């Protein structure tokens, strides 16, 4: 989804958005903030690249990290929910996974999880992406924007 269209949908709902990024390292926030008027709906983001920061900054429970690891759906779910709470936004999107070139936690490059937390709960999307590090990061951003758009399309706008 085009970031400008996403921001219009958020604005129609008087909704706000924040990001929690691991493998995308700020690329998702950069895409969103490149759109004019982003400040009307986008509040900010956290780059929690290190596993321990997922717990300390985003409230990912230690048992989630111990049992499932940072490269997991439960971690993405907790990142999104924690970001939504911490940054006091209507929606939060989180990205975690392996960009490559090396495996992480036994997972191959391209193993990615995207989660969107909103008033209706948390959606998690599991992805297996191909390509080099940059391609995985860019595709993850594209998939994250699509996931937010999908959640917003399921809801009715609050305004006109």
């Amino acid at each position: 989804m085009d970031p400008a269209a996403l921001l219009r949908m958020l604005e129609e709902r008087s909704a706000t958005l924040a990001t929690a990024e691991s493998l995308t390292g700020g690329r998702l926030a950069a895409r969103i903030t490149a759109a004019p008027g982003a400040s009307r709906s986008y509040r900010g983001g956290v780059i929690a690249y290190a596993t321990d920061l997922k717990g300390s900054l985003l409230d990912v429970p230690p048992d989630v990290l111990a049992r499932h690891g940072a490269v997991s759906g439960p971690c993405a779910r907790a990142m999104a929910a924690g970001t939504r709470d911490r940054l006091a936004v209507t929606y939060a999107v989180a990205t975690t996974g392996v960009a490559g070139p090396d495996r992480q936690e036994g997972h191959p490059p391209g193993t990615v999880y995207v989660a969107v937390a909103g008033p209706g709960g948390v959606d998690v999307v599991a992805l297996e992406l191909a390509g080099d590090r940059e391609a995985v990061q860019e595709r993850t951003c594209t998939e994250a924007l699509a996931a937010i758009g999908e959640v917003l399309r399921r809801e009715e706008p609050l305004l006109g």
Side-chain angles (χ1 to χ4, degrees):
M1 166 166 258
D2 173 60
L6 172 67
L7 290 164
R8 281 192 300 276
M9 290 175 75
L10 289 163
E11 193 168 358
E12 287 171 0
R13 291 156 174 77
S14 297
T16 54
L17 174 68
T19 53
E21 299 184 68
S22 185
L23 86 149
T24 49
R27 286 178 186 241
L28 180 56
R31 276 205 197 175
I32 294 167
T33 58
S39 63
R40 290 192 292 270
S41 298
Y42 182 73
R43 295 212 2 109
V46 175
I47 301 170
Y49 208 65
T51 299
D52 63 307
L53 293 180
K54 291 171 180 65
S56 63
L57 295 178
L58 304 176
D59 296 331
V60 176
D63 66 308
V64 167
L65 293 170
R67 189 171 347 138
H68 302 284
V71 181
S72 69
C75 182
R77 176 181 301 278
M79 288 172 66
T83 300
R84 184 171 183 255
D85 291 342
R86 285 275 181 130
L87 278 67
V89 293
T90 317
Y91 298 94
V93 60
T95 63
T96 189
V98 186
D102 301 320
R103 296 175 76 87
Q104 183 179 341
E105 297 178 355
H107 299 284
T111 303
V112 173
Y113 296 90
V114 172
V116 179
V122 183
D123 289 10
V124 178
V125 179
L127 303 166
E128 294 297 330
L129 305 176
D132 63 12
R133 182 176 181 80
E134 183 175 351
V136 168
Q137 290 173 325
E138 287 298 322
R139 179 72 187 276
T140 299
C141 291
T142 299
E143 295 292 339
L145 292 168
I148 302 163
E150 181 61 34
V151 168
L152 290 172
R153 278 190 286 277
R154 287 195 313 245
E155 300 178 355
E156 291 295 322
L158 299 175
L159 300 175

